[in-house]
Amino acid sequence: MKYTPAKPPLTGETLDSLTEKLRARGEPTFRAKQILEWLYKKRARSWDEMTNLPKTLRAWLADTFELLPATLVHGKQSLDVTDKLLLELGDRSLIETVIIRAPQEGVGLEHSRKTICISTQVGCAMGCKFCASGLLGLKRDLNAGEIVAQLLQVCYREDARTQRAREELASFDNIVVMGMGEPLANYDAIIRALTIVNAEWGLGFGARRITLSTSGLVPKILQLAEEPLGIRLAISLHGATDEVREQIMPVNKAYPLAKLLPAVKTFSEKHGRMVTLEFILIEGINDSLEQAEKLRDIALDLHAHVNLIPYNTVEGLPWKRPSITRQERFADVLRAARVSVTLRREKGHDIEAACGQLRLKTEKERELTVA
Ligand code: SAH
Ligand code: SF4
């Protein structure tokens, strides 16, 4: 379903596109920079705050753009480490953005590793059998402005929390594109959004600290490899053979491993950075030692990092995580071959798991909060 907002969001404009629109109105070119500075650096929440702009220009801006296309319905600090922002869009769709603060040994929350997980679609069309987003199907793509707005909402939240407001976004270690949706199925919007996030005139967040996760849309991975942006890539592998992967990920029919893995290699060689292979461990599905051996070979060949994620139960789905012993035995096969591997066991601390769990809850929360 296509969604056209009544007014385009200001958060979807690049410096060039905004300059162009202002030029058409006869405004001097420096205005675009001023406006974006109000939005991203000074964090203005209304047009009236933009006091160095003429009143007539402010009135025109208010008529022409939506300042922020996502409003906070509520923010819930559900676990000490996970802060979920439930956001409502112009058509009343709900999305979630998550702040994950993983405390480090011996230091307080202030020094924790901080990650923001953003969504790119309302629902998802890929239909992975283990994922709650797959259950909902795709409602629509987010536009670039809605993707950027999630990060501004995180900024507002941090501004309210600490004194060091302006530096707060830079203090995040990572932005992960691992929330609801398949980002590469909404390619133009995610590239435009991340360009804004990365740009000096935008949020100024380093591309090397942004990771995009995909279920494996091969042509788009190759296209991404050509982008100058330089973001990092994670692949939702979840099966080390076609036979296993196909059972849980329908996308594997169109893009089996023989197509996916060479595309990942191309990306990795172009960028000179390790790609991450995400592998959710699901009991009785992909947790055998044969799968571990196959995964080890793939990781060695791609020189990739492997992130093992114990499956997080989704209501209404039959899957379970394997026992800790079984998880460790699986990881040991990779460790023995000196594959770079992480296996996180603390519930809620795992970023992918926390993101992967948003899905159904979003709709449930709507019943609780919006109805
Ligand atoms: N669509 C993209 C990005 C969003 S999913 C992708 O599939 O990569 C982000 C991550 O959460 C993926 O690795 C996904 O497989 C994982 N995930 C989904 N459901 C999960 C669950 N119940 N437990 C743990 N991880 C899950
Ligand atoms: Fe979509 Fe990713 Fe969930 Fe698959 S794992 S259904 S691609 S969000």
Side-chain angles (χ1 to χ4, degrees):
M1 190 182 60
K2 185 110 182 78
Y3 163 65
T4 316
K7 291 187 249 179
L10 184 63
T11 47
E13 297 293 327
T14 62
L15 182 60
D16 284 350
S17 69
L18 188 59
T19 304
E20 199 40 57
K21 286 180 181 170
L22 289 162
R23 203 201 320 266
R25 209 188 158 262
E27 296 288 343
T29 43
F30 65 83
R31 289 284 184 225
K33 240 192 181 128
Q34 269 183 330
I35 294 166
L36 295 180
E37 197 168 297
W38 277 112
L39 184 66
Y40 295 116
K41 306 289 190 298
K42 301 185 196 156
R43 311 261 169 84
R45 309 276 293 263
S46 72
W47 304 105
D48 285 340
E49 284 172 59
M50 305 185 184
T51 44
N52 61 357
L53 304 180
K55 266 207 166 121
T56 48
L57 176 58
R58 274 187 260 159
W60 176 80
L61 287 168
D63 281 347
T64 310
F65 296 104
E66 191 72 57
L67 185 64
L68 198 74
T71 52
L72 186 69
V73 178
H74 76 166
K76 194 176 67 178
Q77 195 119 22
S78 53
L79 291 161
D80 60 336
V81 292
T82 320
D83 201 356
K84 293 187 181 181
L85 309 189
L86 183 67
L87 303 173
E88 189 177 45
L89 309 175
D91 62 349
R92 297 200 65 227
S93 292
L94 292 176
I95 53 168
E96 263 183 328
T97 305
V98 186
I99 304 170
I100 301 144
R101 297 189 181 85
Q104 292 176 339
E105 299 263 317
V107 288
L109 262 188
E110 281 303 303
H111 301 280
S112 52
R113 221 183 130 68
K114 297 195 298 178
T115 300
I116 308 169
C117 176
I118 57 173
S119 298
T120 54
Q121 297 182 309
V122 185
C124 183
M126 305 308 296
C128 303
K129 300 282 198 312
F130 48 82
C131 173
S133 284
L135 289 181
L136 294 174
L138 177 68
K139 188 171 166 202
R140 70 168 173 88
D141 286 338
L142 298 187
N143 59 44
E146 290 167 330
I147 299 172
V148 175
Q150 296 174 55
L151 293 165
L152 263 184
Q153 284 289 2
V154 171
C155 291
Y156 298 159
R157 187 157 182 95
E158 295 297 296
D159 290 355
R161 227 174 54 92
T162 78
Q163 299 284 332
R164 294 170 289 120
R166 303 293 164 237
E167 295 111 63
E168 270 303 321
L169 193 68
S171 81
F172 277 92
D173 298 282
N174 297 293
I175 293 175
V176 296
V177 187
M178 294 187 184
M180 197 174 6
E182 167 48 54
L184 295 187
N186 187 13
Y187 191 87
D188 292 347
I190 188 64
I191 295 298
R192 188 180 177 95
L194 293 180
T195 301
I196 296 168
V197 170
N198 179 235
E200 205 33 63
W201 45 260
L203 284 167
F205 195 87
R208 292 294 195 191
R209 292 189 289 144
I210 302 175
T211 302
L212 181 147
S213 174
T214 178
S215 59
L217 298 180
V218 168
K220 297 296 179 189
I221 292 172
L222 294 172
Q223 198 177 338
L224 190 65
E226 301 299 324
E227 297 285 348
L229 203 51
I231 57 170
R232 309 184 77 142
L233 183 68
I235 303 289
S236 287
L237 199 63
H238 311 329
T241 53
D242 282 328
E243 201 193 354
V244 168
R245 195 166 191 261
E246 217 168 77
Q247 269 180 42
I248 47 178
M249 298 184 73
V251 67
N252 197 70
K253 294 225 166 61
Y255 304 115
L257 296 177
K259 289 187 177 155
L260 176 60
L261 301 178
V264 178
K265 196 163 207 173
T266 302
F267 185 96
S268 158
E269 283 169 0
K270 279 234 144 82
H271 283 250
R273 282 286 184 118
M274 266 186 151
V275 166
T276 296
L277 303 175
E278 296 160 281
F279 205 93
I280 306 179
L281 292 170
I282 311 176
E283 189 182 78
I285 300 290
N286 64 1
D287 61 341
S288 69
L289 294 183
E290 293 79 59
Q291 281 289 299
E293 285 162 9
K294 292 264 175 9
L295 177 58
R296 170 197 65 198
D297 296 344
I298 293 171
L300 287 173
D301 182 49
L302 293 175
H303 189 56
H305 173 79
V306 174
N307 195 9
L308 298 174
I309 310 152
Y311 183 68
N312 258 320
T313 329
V314 173
E315 250 180 84
L317 294 179
W319 321 106
K320 282 199 301 217
R321 60 169 60 177
S323 69
I324 288 177
T325 324
R326 213 169 154 84
Q327 293 171 27
E328 287 293 347
R329 279 177 56 203
F330 193 101
D332 281 343
V333 172
L334 295 142
R335 289 181 190 128
R338 300 197 175 279
V339 171
S340 157
V341 56
T342 40
L343 164 64
R344 259 164 281 196
R345 270 178 283 128
E346 314 91 314
K347 218 180 168 182
H349 285 212
D350 187 78
I351 291 151
E352 288 78 5
C355 296
Q357 279 210 311
L358 303 182
R359 326 283 194 253
L360 274 187
K361 284 202 178 114
T362 308
E363 288 306 311
K364 291 217 173 100
E365 300 218 19
R366 157 160 263 165
E367 286 159 31
L368 293 175
T369 58
V370 184

PDB file of all heavy atoms in Angstrom, residues 120-121 123-135 178-183 213-216 236 238 248-251 280 355-356 359, ligand 2:
ATOM      1  N   THR A 120      12.074  -0.002   9.297  1.00  0.00           N
ATOM      2  CA  THR A 120      12.055   0.534   7.929  1.00  0.00           C
ATOM      3  C   THR A 120      10.730   0.305   7.198  1.00  0.00           C
ATOM      4  O   THR A 120      10.506   0.864   6.129  1.00  0.00           O
ATOM      5  CB  THR A 120      13.173  -0.103   7.078  1.00  0.00           C
ATOM      6  OG1 THR A 120      13.045  -1.522   7.139  1.00  0.00           O
ATOM      7  CG2 THR A 120      14.550   0.312   7.569  1.00  0.00           C
ATOM      8  N   GLN A 121       9.896  -0.565   7.759  1.00  0.00           N
ATOM      9  CA  GLN A 121       8.582  -0.802   7.153  1.00  0.00           C
ATOM     10  C   GLN A 121       7.560  -1.016   8.284  1.00  0.00           C
ATOM     11  O   GLN A 121       7.949  -1.304   9.414  1.00  0.00           O
ATOM     12  CB  GLN A 121       8.603  -2.076   6.293  1.00  0.00           C
ATOM     13  CG  GLN A 121       9.566  -1.998   5.103  1.00  0.00           C
ATOM     14  CD  GLN A 121       9.518  -3.274   4.250  1.00  0.00           C
ATOM     15  OE1 GLN A 121       9.644  -4.380   4.773  1.00  0.00           O
ATOM     16  NE2 GLN A 121       9.342  -3.098   2.950  1.00  0.00           N
ATOM     17  N   GLY A 123       5.349  -3.664   9.349  1.00  0.00           N
ATOM     18  CA  GLY A 123       5.231  -5.085   9.016  1.00  0.00           C
ATOM     19  C   GLY A 123       6.377  -5.500   8.107  1.00  0.00           C
ATOM     20  O   GLY A 123       7.373  -4.790   7.973  1.00  0.00           O
ATOM     21  N   CYS A 124       6.243  -6.662   7.472  1.00  0.00           N
ATOM     22  CA  CYS A 124       7.284  -7.152   6.566  1.00  0.00           C
ATOM     23  C   CYS A 124       6.679  -8.206   5.645  1.00  0.00           C
ATOM     24  O   CYS A 124       5.837  -8.993   6.070  1.00  0.00           O
ATOM     25  CB  CYS A 124       8.437  -7.763   7.365  1.00  0.00           C
ATOM     26  SG  CYS A 124       9.804  -8.307   6.310  1.00  0.00           S
ATOM     27  N   ALA A 125       7.110  -8.188   4.391  1.00  0.00           N
ATOM     28  CA  ALA A 125       6.530  -9.114   3.405  1.00  0.00           C
ATOM     29  C   ALA A 125       7.336 -10.399   3.257  1.00  0.00           C
ATOM     30  O   ALA A 125       6.921 -11.300   2.526  1.00  0.00           O
ATOM     31  CB  ALA A 125       6.437  -8.411   2.047  1.00  0.00           C
ATOM     32  N   MET A 126       8.480 -10.500   3.931  1.00  0.00           N
ATOM     33  CA  MET A 126       9.385 -11.614   3.649  1.00  0.00           C
ATOM     34  C   MET A 126       8.917 -12.951   4.228  1.00  0.00           C
ATOM     35  O   MET A 126       9.337 -14.007   3.761  1.00  0.00           O
ATOM     36  CB  MET A 126      10.803 -11.308   4.153  1.00  0.00           C
ATOM     37  CG  MET A 126      11.415 -10.017   3.633  1.00  0.00           C
ATOM     38  SD  MET A 126      11.376  -9.831   1.845  1.00  0.00           S
ATOM     39  CE  MET A 126      12.426 -11.169   1.351  1.00  0.00           C
ATOM     40  N   GLY A 127       8.089 -12.891   5.240  1.00  0.00           N
ATOM     41  CA  GLY A 127       7.448 -14.108   5.740  1.00  0.00           C
ATOM     42  C   GLY A 127       8.348 -15.140   6.401  1.00  0.00           C
ATOM     43  O   GLY A 127       8.038 -16.333   6.355  1.00  0.00           O
ATOM     44  N   CYS A 128       9.432 -14.720   7.018  1.00  0.00           N
ATOM     45  CA  CYS A 128      10.272 -15.683   7.749  1.00  0.00           C
ATOM     46  C   CYS A 128       9.417 -16.337   8.835  1.00  0.00           C
ATOM     47  O   CYS A 128       8.695 -15.646   9.556  1.00  0.00           O
ATOM     48  CB  CYS A 128      11.479 -14.982   8.355  1.00  0.00           C
ATOM     49  SG  CYS A 128      12.466 -14.130   7.121  1.00  0.00           S
ATOM     50  N   LYS A 129       9.561 -17.650   8.948  1.00  0.00           N
ATOM     51  CA  LYS A 129       8.616 -18.410   9.766  1.00  0.00           C
ATOM     52  C   LYS A 129       8.757 -18.168  11.271  1.00  0.00           C
ATOM     53  O   LYS A 129       7.854 -18.442  12.034  1.00  0.00           O
ATOM     54  CB  LYS A 129       8.800 -19.911   9.499  1.00  0.00           C
ATOM     55  CG  LYS A 129       8.568 -20.336   8.059  1.00  0.00           C
ATOM     56  CD  LYS A 129       7.076 -20.425   7.773  1.00  0.00           C
ATOM     57  CE  LYS A 129       6.731 -21.231   6.531  1.00  0.00           C
ATOM     58  NZ  LYS A 129       7.479 -20.923   5.323  1.00  0.00           N
ATOM     59  N   PHE A 130       9.908 -17.667  11.678  1.00  0.00           N
ATOM     60  CA  PHE A 130      10.190 -17.517  13.108  1.00  0.00           C
ATOM     61  C   PHE A 130       9.932 -16.108  13.615  1.00  0.00           C
ATOM     62  O   PHE A 130      10.084 -15.808  14.785  1.00  0.00           O
ATOM     63  CB  PHE A 130      11.672 -17.842  13.365  1.00  0.00           C
ATOM     64  CG  PHE A 130      12.576 -17.134  12.400  1.00  0.00           C
ATOM     65  CD1 PHE A 130      12.929 -15.817  12.622  1.00  0.00           C
ATOM     66  CD2 PHE A 130      13.008 -17.761  11.236  1.00  0.00           C
ATOM     67  CE1 PHE A 130      13.720 -15.135  11.712  1.00  0.00           C
ATOM     68  CE2 PHE A 130      13.805 -17.082  10.323  1.00  0.00           C
ATOM     69  CZ  PHE A 130      14.163 -15.769  10.558  1.00  0.00           C
ATOM     70  N   CYS A 131       9.582 -15.203  12.706  1.00  0.00           N
ATOM     71  CA  CYS A 131       9.598 -13.780  13.042  1.00  0.00           C
ATOM     72  C   CYS A 131       8.188 -13.212  13.137  1.00  0.00           C
ATOM     73  O   CYS A 131       7.345 -13.468  12.282  1.00  0.00           O
ATOM     74  CB  CYS A 131      10.394 -13.032  11.971  1.00  0.00           C
ATOM     75  SG  CYS A 131      10.345 -11.248  12.139  1.00  0.00           S
ATOM     76  N   ALA A 132       7.973 -12.416  14.161  1.00  0.00           N
ATOM     77  CA  ALA A 132       6.650 -11.848  14.369  1.00  0.00           C
ATOM     78  C   ALA A 132       6.257 -10.852  13.281  1.00  0.00           C
ATOM     79  O   ALA A 132       5.078 -10.704  12.977  1.00  0.00           O
ATOM     80  CB  ALA A 132       6.581 -11.207  15.747  1.00  0.00           C
ATOM     81  N   SER A 133       7.249 -10.183  12.687  1.00  0.00           N
ATOM     82  CA  SER A 133       6.934  -9.253  11.589  1.00  0.00           C
ATOM     83  C   SER A 133       6.353  -9.999  10.404  1.00  0.00           C
ATOM     84  O   SER A 133       5.473  -9.511   9.709  1.00  0.00           O
ATOM     85  CB  SER A 133       8.192  -8.542  11.092  1.00  0.00           C
ATOM     86  OG  SER A 133       8.565  -7.552  11.972  1.00  0.00           O
ATOM     87  N   GLY A 134       6.899 -11.174  10.158  1.00  0.00           N
ATOM     88  CA  GLY A 134       6.398 -12.004   9.076  1.00  0.00           C
ATOM     89  C   GLY A 134       4.935 -12.335   9.275  1.00  0.00           C
ATOM     90  O   GLY A 134       4.165 -12.418   8.320  1.00  0.00           O
ATOM     91  N   LEU A 135       4.536 -12.488  10.529  1.00  0.00           N
ATOM     92  CA  LEU A 135       3.141 -12.837  10.818  1.00  0.00           C
ATOM     93  C   LEU A 135       2.184 -11.721  10.433  1.00  0.00           C
ATOM     94  O   LEU A 135       1.053 -11.975  10.037  1.00  0.00           O
ATOM     95  CB  LEU A 135       2.967 -13.091  12.321  1.00  0.00           C
ATOM     96  CG  LEU A 135       3.576 -14.355  12.916  1.00  0.00           C
ATOM     97  CD1 LEU A 135       3.266 -14.429  14.396  1.00  0.00           C
ATOM     98  CD2 LEU A 135       3.047 -15.580  12.187  1.00  0.00           C
ATOM     99  N   MET A 178      17.569  -2.922  12.159  1.00  0.00           N
ATOM    100  CA  MET A 178      17.164  -4.296  12.460  1.00  0.00           C
ATOM    101  C   MET A 178      15.793  -4.345  13.105  1.00  0.00           C
ATOM    102  O   MET A 178      15.418  -5.343  13.720  1.00  0.00           O
ATOM    103  CB  MET A 178      18.153  -4.939  13.435  1.00  0.00           C
ATOM    104  CG  MET A 178      19.532  -5.150  12.873  1.00  0.00           C
ATOM    105  SD  MET A 178      20.548  -6.086  14.018  1.00  0.00           S
ATOM    106  CE  MET A 178      22.113  -6.074  13.143  1.00  0.00           C
ATOM    107  N   GLY A 179      15.058  -3.262  12.998  1.00  0.00           N
ATOM    108  CA  GLY A 179      13.713  -3.263  13.579  1.00  0.00           C
ATOM    109  C   GLY A 179      12.744  -3.914  12.617  1.00  0.00           C
ATOM    110  O   GLY A 179      13.112  -4.802  11.848  1.00  0.00           O
ATOM    111  N   MET A 180      11.514  -3.448  12.648  1.00  0.00           N
ATOM    112  CA  MET A 180      10.501  -4.048  11.786  1.00  0.00           C
ATOM    113  C   MET A 180      10.808  -3.762  10.317  1.00  0.00           C
ATOM    114  O   MET A 180      11.171  -2.648   9.951  1.00  0.00           O
ATOM    115  CB  MET A 180       9.136  -3.462  12.172  1.00  0.00           C
ATOM    116  CG  MET A 180       7.984  -4.274  11.658  1.00  0.00           C
ATOM    117  SD  MET A 180       6.340  -3.741  12.218  1.00  0.00           S
ATOM    118  CE  MET A 180       6.574  -2.246  13.098  1.00  0.00           C
ATOM    119  N   GLY A 181      10.665  -4.796   9.472  1.00  0.00           N
ATOM    120  CA  GLY A 181      10.781  -4.589   8.029  1.00  0.00           C
ATOM    121  C   GLY A 181      12.077  -5.091   7.421  1.00  0.00           C
ATOM    122  O   GLY A 181      13.063  -5.338   8.112  1.00  0.00           O
ATOM    123  N   GLU A 182      12.044  -5.262   6.100  1.00  0.00           N
ATOM    124  CA  GLU A 182      13.239  -5.653   5.350  1.00  0.00           C
ATOM    125  C   GLU A 182      13.782  -4.383   4.676  1.00  0.00           C
ATOM    126  O   GLU A 182      13.199  -3.889   3.699  1.00  0.00           O
ATOM    127  CB  GLU A 182      12.859  -6.727   4.315  1.00  0.00           C
ATOM    128  CG  GLU A 182      13.908  -7.021   3.247  1.00  0.00           C
ATOM    129  CD  GLU A 182      15.333  -7.237   3.795  1.00  0.00           C
ATOM    130  OE1 GLU A 182      15.510  -8.085   4.673  1.00  0.00           O
ATOM    131  OE2 GLU A 182      16.248  -6.525   3.334  1.00  0.00           O
ATOM    132  N   PRO A 183      14.883  -3.840   5.191  1.00  0.00           N
ATOM    133  CA  PRO A 183      15.359  -2.539   4.702  1.00  0.00           C
ATOM    134  C   PRO A 183      15.658  -2.502   3.206  1.00  0.00           C
ATOM    135  O   PRO A 183      15.409  -1.500   2.546  1.00  0.00           O
ATOM    136  CB  PRO A 183      16.627  -2.282   5.521  1.00  0.00           C
ATOM    137  CG  PRO A 183      16.948  -3.537   6.240  1.00  0.00           C
ATOM    138  CD  PRO A 183      15.696  -4.346   6.308  1.00  0.00           C
ATOM    139  N   SER A 213      20.792  -4.776   8.416  1.00  0.00           N
ATOM    140  CA  SER A 213      20.592  -6.224   8.399  1.00  0.00           C
ATOM    141  C   SER A 213      19.565  -6.594   7.330  1.00  0.00           C
ATOM    142  O   SER A 213      18.515  -5.965   7.220  1.00  0.00           O
ATOM    143  CB  SER A 213      20.097  -6.684   9.771  1.00  0.00           C
ATOM    144  OG  SER A 213      19.759  -8.047   9.738  1.00  0.00           O
ATOM    145  N   THR A 214      19.895  -7.598   6.529  1.00  0.00           N
ATOM    146  CA  THR A 214      18.966  -8.030   5.483  1.00  0.00           C
ATOM    147  C   THR A 214      18.785  -9.534   5.487  1.00  0.00           C
ATOM    148  O   THR A 214      19.688 -10.285   5.865  1.00  0.00           O
ATOM    149  CB  THR A 214      19.450  -7.580   4.080  1.00  0.00           C
ATOM    150  OG1 THR A 214      18.523  -8.079   3.093  1.00  0.00           O
ATOM    151  CG2 THR A 214      20.844  -8.118   3.757  1.00  0.00           C
ATOM    152  N   SER A 215      17.603  -9.951   5.030  1.00  0.00           N
ATOM    153  CA  SER A 215      17.326 -11.379   4.920  1.00  0.00           C
ATOM    154  C   SER A 215      17.968 -11.945   3.652  1.00  0.00           C
ATOM    155  O   SER A 215      17.930 -13.142   3.424  1.00  0.00           O
ATOM    156  CB  SER A 215      15.819 -11.605   4.907  1.00  0.00           C
ATOM    157  OG  SER A 215      15.242 -10.912   3.813  1.00  0.00           O
ATOM    158  N   GLY A 216      18.549 -11.066   2.817  1.00  0.00           N
ATOM    159  CA  GLY A 216      19.323 -11.579   1.683  1.00  0.00           C
ATOM    160  C   GLY A 216      18.766 -11.280   0.306  1.00  0.00           C
ATOM    161  O   GLY A 216      18.690 -12.166  -0.547  1.00  0.00           O
ATOM    162  N   SER A 236      20.954 -12.014   7.723  1.00  0.00           N
ATOM    163  CA  SER A 236      20.188 -12.989   8.500  1.00  0.00           C
ATOM    164  C   SER A 236      20.303 -14.322   7.790  1.00  0.00           C
ATOM    165  O   SER A 236      19.582 -14.586   6.834  1.00  0.00           O
ATOM    166  CB  SER A 236      18.721 -12.559   8.582  1.00  0.00           C
ATOM    167  OG  SER A 236      18.594 -11.469   9.444  1.00  0.00           O
ATOM    168  N   HIS A 238      20.667 -17.818   9.344  1.00  0.00           N
ATOM    169  CA  HIS A 238      19.728 -18.710  10.039  1.00  0.00           C
ATOM    170  C   HIS A 238      19.635 -20.127   9.500  1.00  0.00           C
ATOM    171  O   HIS A 238      18.846 -20.929   9.990  1.00  0.00           O
ATOM    172  CB  HIS A 238      18.324 -18.102  10.123  1.00  0.00           C
ATOM    173  CG  HIS A 238      18.291 -16.698  10.618  1.00  0.00           C
ATOM    174  ND1 HIS A 238      19.207 -16.193  11.521  1.00  0.00           N
ATOM    175  CD2 HIS A 238      17.458 -15.659  10.327  1.00  0.00           C
ATOM    176  CE1 HIS A 238      18.920 -14.920  11.754  1.00  0.00           C
ATOM    177  NE2 HIS A 238      17.880 -14.571  11.045  1.00  0.00           N
ATOM    178  N   ILE A 248      12.669 -22.151   6.777  1.00  0.00           N
ATOM    179  CA  ILE A 248      12.265 -21.048   7.657  1.00  0.00           C
ATOM    180  C   ILE A 248      12.304 -19.678   6.975  1.00  0.00           C
ATOM    181  O   ILE A 248      11.731 -18.729   7.474  1.00  0.00           O
ATOM    182  CB  ILE A 248      13.134 -21.012   8.948  1.00  0.00           C
ATOM    183  CG1 ILE A 248      14.627 -21.147   8.631  1.00  0.00           C
ATOM    184  CG2 ILE A 248      12.699 -22.097   9.919  1.00  0.00           C
ATOM    185  CD1 ILE A 248      15.539 -21.062   9.837  1.00  0.00           C
ATOM    186  N   MET A 249      12.968 -19.590   5.806  1.00  0.00           N
ATOM    187  CA  MET A 249      13.054 -18.306   5.123  1.00  0.00           C
ATOM    188  C   MET A 249      12.659 -18.447   3.645  1.00  0.00           C
ATOM    189  O   MET A 249      13.461 -18.873   2.813  1.00  0.00           O
ATOM    190  CB  MET A 249      14.476 -17.732   5.232  1.00  0.00           C
ATOM    191  CG  MET A 249      14.901 -17.460   6.675  1.00  0.00           C
ATOM    192  SD  MET A 249      16.526 -16.679   6.796  1.00  0.00           S
ATOM    193  CE  MET A 249      16.178 -15.002   6.247  1.00  0.00           C
ATOM    194  N   PRO A 250      11.437 -18.062   3.298  1.00  0.00           N
ATOM    195  CA  PRO A 250      10.973 -18.172   1.911  1.00  0.00           C
ATOM    196  C   PRO A 250      11.883 -17.469   0.900  1.00  0.00           C
ATOM    197  O   PRO A 250      11.973 -17.889  -0.251  1.00  0.00           O
ATOM    198  CB  PRO A 250       9.586 -17.523   1.939  1.00  0.00           C
ATOM    199  CG  PRO A 250       9.149 -17.589   3.365  1.00  0.00           C
ATOM    200  CD  PRO A 250      10.385 -17.559   4.208  1.00  0.00           C
ATOM    201  N   VAL A 251      12.599 -16.426   1.338  1.00  0.00           N
ATOM    202  CA  VAL A 251      13.470 -15.663   0.433  1.00  0.00           C
ATOM    203  C   VAL A 251      14.563 -16.554  -0.166  1.00  0.00           C
ATOM    204  O   VAL A 251      15.107 -16.268  -1.234  1.00  0.00           O
ATOM    205  CB  VAL A 251      14.097 -14.443   1.166  1.00  0.00           C
ATOM    206  CG1 VAL A 251      15.080 -14.877   2.256  1.00  0.00           C
ATOM    207  CG2 VAL A 251      14.803 -13.501   0.194  1.00  0.00           C
ATOM    208  N   ILE A 280      20.122 -17.284  14.214  1.00  0.00           N
ATOM    209  CA  ILE A 280      19.263 -17.547  15.367  1.00  0.00           C
ATOM    210  C   ILE A 280      19.289 -19.043  15.615  1.00  0.00           C
ATOM    211  O   ILE A 280      19.082 -19.816  14.678  1.00  0.00           O
ATOM    212  CB  ILE A 280      17.801 -17.192  15.060  1.00  0.00           C
ATOM    213  CG1 ILE A 280      17.659 -15.761  14.567  1.00  0.00           C
ATOM    214  CG2 ILE A 280      16.919 -17.373  16.280  1.00  0.00           C
ATOM    215  CD1 ILE A 280      16.213 -15.432  14.239  1.00  0.00           C
ATOM    216  N   CYS A 355      15.386  -6.506  19.050  1.00  0.00           N
ATOM    217  CA  CYS A 355      14.731  -5.931  17.862  1.00  0.00           C
ATOM    218  C   CYS A 355      13.730  -6.925  17.299  1.00  0.00           C
ATOM    219  O   CYS A 355      12.617  -6.574  16.965  1.00  0.00           O
ATOM    220  CB  CYS A 355      15.750  -5.626  16.771  1.00  0.00           C
ATOM    221  SG  CYS A 355      16.938  -4.394  17.231  1.00  0.00           S
ATOM    222  N   GLY A 356      14.161  -8.172  17.205  1.00  0.00           N
ATOM    223  CA  GLY A 356      13.312  -9.191  16.603  1.00  0.00           C
ATOM    224  C   GLY A 356      12.024  -9.405  17.363  1.00  0.00           C
ATOM    225  O   GLY A 356      11.057  -9.924  16.831  1.00  0.00           O
ATOM    226  N   ARG A 359       8.050  -6.875  17.029  1.00  0.00           N
ATOM    227  CA  ARG A 359       6.956  -7.089  16.085  1.00  0.00           C
ATOM    228  C   ARG A 359       5.530  -7.101  16.635  1.00  0.00           C
ATOM    229  O   ARG A 359       4.840  -6.120  16.582  1.00  0.00           O
ATOM    230  CB  ARG A 359       7.198  -8.385  15.332  1.00  0.00           C
ATOM    231  CG  ARG A 359       8.646  -8.675  15.078  1.00  0.00           C
ATOM    232  CD  ARG A 359       9.160  -7.839  13.950  1.00  0.00           C
ATOM    233  NE  ARG A 359      10.432  -8.311  13.462  1.00  0.00           N
ATOM    234  CZ  ARG A 359      11.578  -7.692  13.689  1.00  0.00           C
ATOM    235  NH1 ARG A 359      11.602  -6.617  14.437  1.00  0.00           N
ATOM    236  NH2 ARG A 359      12.678  -8.139  13.166  1.00  0.00           N
TER     237      ARG A 359
HETATM  238 FE1  SF4 B   2      11.122  -9.598   7.694  1.00  0.00          FE
HETATM  239 FE2  SF4 B   2      13.570  -9.754   8.799  1.00  0.00          FE
HETATM  240 FE3  SF4 B   2      11.402 -10.713  10.093  1.00  0.00          FE
HETATM  241 FE4  SF4 B   2      12.303 -11.954   7.935  1.00  0.00          FE
HETATM  242  S1  SF4 B   2      13.404 -11.693   9.894  1.00  0.00           S
HETATM  243  S2  SF4 B   2      10.130 -11.494   8.358  1.00  0.00           S
HETATM  244  S3  SF4 B   2      12.972 -10.268   6.675  1.00  0.00           S
HETATM  245  S4  SF4 B   2      11.804  -8.581   9.569  1.00  0.00           S
END
